[in-house]
Amino acid sequence: GTKVSILVGPTGTGKSVWAPVQLLRSRIGREGRILVTQPRLVTLRTSKKKGEDTSTPGFVAKHLLGADAVGAGQEVGVLFSGESSKQDRYTRLLYVTDGILIRWILSGQLGRFSVVVIDEAHEQSSNMELIFALMRYHLPLYPRLRLVIASATMDIERFQNFFGAGDPSRVFVAQPEQPTTLKVIHDRWPDGPEGYAVKLPGFEVPE
């Protein structure tokens, strides 16, 4: 199968939160850790509103995985420069900045992960361009590693040719259009009424 997938959809379709959880709970997630990059540090920093962690990792941990917190001993972790490490050997879904990913690519540490998700790929920056170039070169060195590129907007054909070496069919494209509501989550989850989605905190099967 393909090693590179492109996920293009407007805000609210679950690219940053629901897609990583689906990967985590899939067969691919059992093969290794899931790494998700966030280009904006503000989405990783813990911000307390009414005592609740409003960061992206915090939302995923509490509302989608039913965890008490993010960090050591938890399934969801976060790591960025200037912050004490909130991850350990128990971490299976790790959110990092793009700078951390670049450092790990160059130091040969991608073998610890089964999937790398590059979120907000439409953010134009020198870091993002460098990540794309490095991933195209290094991806073949890790036979079990998959790459997911998520973006609100994207020149799909350009990315298919870039990562598919001129063969667009080597790059899978998914384009969700509906906002990620409980009903959409239920309908998309492959196991139906008996699946993992029903066990989400506060989840009720939609009518």
Side-chain angles (χ1 to χ4, degrees), residues 29-101:
R30 293 192 290 272
E31 294 177 2
R33 305 165 92 192
I34 311 294
L35 179 70
V36 183
T37 67
Q38 292 283 309
R40 293 189 300 273
L41 191 57
V42 66
T43 63
L44 297 179
R45 289 188 184 279
T46 301
S47 175
K48 296 287 186 178
K49 282 187 178 181
K50 298 181 179 180
E52 183 173 339
D53 182 355
T54 59
S55 68
T56 297
F59 177 86
V60 170
K62 181 173 181 179
H63 295 284
L64 296 185
L65 296 174
D68 296 327
V70 172
Q74 302 291 334
E75 203 168 23
V76 181
V78 61
L79 182 64
F80 56 86
S81 180
E83 176 78 356
S84 58
S85 180
K86 292 185 177 179
Q87 57 105 24
D88 59 13
R89 64 190 180 92
Y90 297 104
T91 303
R92 297 186 58 226
L93 176 59
L94 180 61
Y95 285 83
V96 302
T97 55
D98 50 11
I100 295 289
L101 175 58

Side-chain angles (χ1 to χ4, degrees), residues 97-111:
T97 55
D98 50 11
I100 295 289
L101 175 58
I102 290 172
R103 190 169 71 201
W104 284 352
I105 294 173
L106 294 174
S107 60
Q109 298 187 55
L110 291 186

Side-chain angles (χ1 to χ4, degrees), residues 2 157 159-172:
T2 179
E157 185 176 353
F159 276 86
Q160 283 183 302
N161 286 321
F162 183 78
F163 284 101
D167 181 2
S169 66
R170 296 176 62 184
V171 178
F172 174 76

Side-chain angles (χ1 to χ4, degrees), residues 16-18 41-42 49 54 62 72 83 99 109 115 130 132 139 142 144 166 183 207:
S16 300
V17 294
W18 187 248
L41 191 57
V42 66
K49 282 187 178 181
T54 59
K62 181 173 181 179
E83 176 78 356
Q109 298 187 55
V115 183
L130 179 57
F132 293 145
L139 198 57
Y142 301 93
R144 298 177 63 185
K183 187 175 189 313
E207 296 295 333

